[in-house]
Amino acid sequence: MKTGLVMCGPDVAYGPLALLSGTFEEKAAKAARLGYDGIELMVRDPAGLDWKTVKATLAAAGLEVPQVVTGELFGADGLCLVTADKGLHRRAEERTRSVIDLAAYLGAMVNIGRLRGQLKFLGDVPDPWAIAVDRLRRVVAYAAKQGVKITMEPINRYETDFVLSAADGMRLVEDLDCDNFGLMLDLFHMNIEDASIEEGLRLAGERLWHVHIADSNRHYPGSGHLDFDSIFATLEDMGYQGYVSAEILPLPDPDTAAQKTIAFLQAHLHAVRGASR
Ligand code: LER
Ligand code: MN
């Protein structure tokens, strides 16, 4: 398992769940100094980014980019794929394609969280799930051509109305049936929607490509009541090799949250590896 955190790209002034303070270069240097393996790059519009400088800055810091995150496409610009508004769908798909192009350039995956939209945004239609599958298939097919994997994130009921749990996510994986489409699971959402976090992780199995880590209260791990010994033992037992990446409230401040998280992750990953030997 590798360690990561969500970090704003140069085009995102503030992400409510992103860590580290300073300029983009300063944040990259801090992530590396703290010992993180990689960062999830939060972007808003790749058209306004200097791709070469972004790549060079992260490479110089020795950081990988497991995935480019799309939350601010929705959060800042209101873009979403599942909507009755044809113009909005077109703009969301165009922007998603440009994020996929950037991810191809960086060798990263792309997540789909709130960018998916909601079934209720379609209004009164006979089969909203089929429309959602079709909207997602279009971007997944484009990503396949670019050699990019898409990670779908189940999100709790207060933020969306479809694909809430790991089981919902696996239903979508089966319906789409595309090799480049898998799941990322976020412990914060799983704590609300999945009957058992461990069973949800196991259900995703080999389609689990990324994990967002947070404690039950979405603060840094160790500040809530999740059973991380059991969660890490499950991931280790599954042979999960992907990222456990912090997406948490930047409290008490964005640098302390990043430092507390890496200390917690390193201690737990060390302990779980020792126990499984
Ligand atoms: C995005 O990864 C996420 O988990 C959402 O809760 C953000 O609103
Ligand atoms: Mn998340």
Side-chain angles (χ1 to χ4, degrees):
M1 277 177 260
K2 295 182 179 181
T3 56
L5 51 71
V6 175
M7 199 179 105
C8 292
D11 63 333
V12 182
Y14 171 74
L17 300 166
L19 296 181
L20 298 173
S21 64
T23 64
F24 182 64
E25 289 72 17
E26 286 164 352
K27 286 186 285 194
K30 281 183 192 176
R33 207 177 318 123
L34 285 168
Y36 283 94
D37 297 308
I39 62 113
E40 287 179 63
L41 184 66
M42 176 171 279
V43 299
R44 182 169 170 181
D45 187 354
L49 277 177
D50 177 347
W51 293 17
K52 216 169 147 190
T53 302
V54 168
K55 189 174 187 169
T57 302
L58 297 173
L63 293 166
E64 294 181 340
V65 186
Q67 62 177 8
V68 181
V69 290
T70 56
E72 286 309 287
L73 272 63
F74 177 80
D77 294 328
L79 296 173
C80 66
L81 296 165
V82 177
T83 166
D85 181 333
K86 288 194 173 70
L88 179 60
H89 171 231
R90 185 181 42 74
R91 290 195 303 281
E93 191 173 294
E94 273 170 17
R95 185 78 70 80
T96 306
R97 284 178 181 230
S98 79
V99 174
I100 290 168
D101 293 343
L102 173 64
Y105 177 73
L106 297 172
M109 305 186 291
V110 170
N111 95 310
I112 296 186
R114 290 173 302 159
L115 173 65
R116 63 166 139 315
Q118 300 201 33
L119 300 183
K120 71 173 181 230
F121 295 167
L122 291 170
D124 190 14
V125 291
D127 191 353
W129 177 263
I131 295 173
V133 169
D134 179 61
R135 298 277 168 96
L136 290 164
R137 191 182 296 288
R138 291 167 60 93
V139 295
V140 172
Y142 181 78
K145 277 196 225 135
Q146 305 300 101
V148 170
K149 286 178 166 175
I150 301 289
T151 58
M152 186 77 187
E153 180 177 30
I155 285 187
N156 78 73
R157 68 193 70 178
Y158 305 109
E159 296 186 47
T160 190
D161 67 357
F162 76 113
V163 188
L164 312 182
S165 64
D168 295 342
M170 287 310 286
R171 177 182 168 212
L172 187 58
V173 166
E174 277 156 30
D175 283 6
L176 268 172
D177 193 22
C178 297
D179 289 345
N180 68 322
F181 186 74
L183 295 188
M184 58 164 298
L185 293 175
D186 181 324
L187 302 181
F188 173 75
H189 300 303
M190 295 186 90
N191 186 48
I192 297 170
E193 297 294 347
D194 289 76
S196 154
I197 291 180
E198 292 81 353
E199 279 171 29
L201 295 169
R202 285 193 192 280
L203 188 68
E206 294 193 345
R207 287 292 175 129
L208 178 60
W209 294 345
H210 193 83
V211 172
H212 270 168
I213 184 167
D215 216 319
S216 51
N217 47 13
R218 228 174 195 182
H219 289 233
Y220 59 80
S223 9
H225 56 74
L226 291 193
D227 183 352
F228 283 101
D229 288 342
S230 171
I231 290 166
F232 281 116
T234 302
L235 289 168
E236 181 78 4
D237 187 52
M238 287 167 60
Y240 176 72
Q241 308 256 314
Y243 269 79
V244 282
S245 186
E247 186 193 50
I248 58 177
L249 294 166
L251 296 171
D253 64 75
D255 294 335
T256 306
Q259 185 272 319
K260 294 271 191 197
T261 299
I262 194 74
F264 186 91
L265 287 179
Q266 286 174 343
H268 271 70
L269 292 176
H270 186 72
V272 83
R273 279 178 198 138
S276 71
R277 274 193 199 114

